[in-house]
């Protein structure tokens, strides 16, 4: 990967479901929790893109996906306002040059 490639963040689309699942599996493997993952592509597609139960951002360096953030909106009755609850994400190490 060349250091002059631009970093960007984009909203995931349904075609990203295999990538989202791979990020989830990679994160679970890193956390030694792979045995806990029961989701599959169909479940993710249904709950993220058809029922809009969560949203996903994809981080890219150039055209290469390098991370993700999965989150959903919540509402606090005590505060009387919406918030965002981050569920899963990957840490990125970006070049400093």
């Amino acid at each position: 990967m060349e250091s002059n490639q631009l970093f960007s963040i984009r909203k995931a689309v349904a075609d990203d479901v295999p990538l989202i699942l791979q990020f989830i599996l990679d994160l679970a493997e890193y956390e030694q929790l792979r045995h806990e993952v029961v989701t599959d592509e169909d479940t993710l597609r249904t709950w993220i893109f058809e029922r809009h139960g969560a949203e996903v951002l994809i981080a890219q360096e150039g055209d290469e996906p390098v991370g993700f953030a999965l989150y959903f909106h919540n509402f606090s009755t005590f505060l009387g306002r919406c918030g965002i609850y981050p569920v899963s994400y990957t840490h990125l190490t970006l070049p400093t040059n």
Side-chain angles (χ1 to χ4, degrees):
M1 190 176 320
E2 296 180 24
S3 61
N4 64 352
Q5 294 180 338
L6 295 177
F7 177 79
S8 62
I9 297 174
R10 65 174 175 80
K11 192 167 183 173
V13 296
D15 287 344
D16 291 318
V17 167
L19 175 64
I20 295 166
L21 179 58
Q22 189 58 57
F23 277 133
I24 291 168
L25 294 172
D26 291 347
L27 180 60
E29 189 71 35
Y30 175 79
E31 297 287 344
Q32 299 179 353
L33 295 171
R34 174 62 181 89
H35 61 283
E36 302 265 345
V37 178
V38 297
T39 194
D40 58 23
E41 289 183 13
D42 290 336
T43 302
L44 292 174
R45 186 173 289 102
T46 298
W47 283 99
I48 296 170
F49 297 103
E50 294 172 15
R51 295 187 181 180
H52 307 287
E55 296 183 59
V56 178
L57 299 175
I58 303 291
Q60 294 186 183
E61 189 169 0
D63 292 332
E64 183 178 346
V66 295
F68 83 117
L70 189 150
Y71 62 95
F72 63 89
H73 297 268
N74 62 8
F75 188 87
S76 170
T77 54
F78 286 15
L79 298 176
R81 60 181 151 206
C82 292
I84 294 177
Y85 189 86
V87 180
S88 297
Y89 57 91
T90 55
H91 295 281
L92 306 173
T93 303
L94 301 175
T96 57
N97 55 353

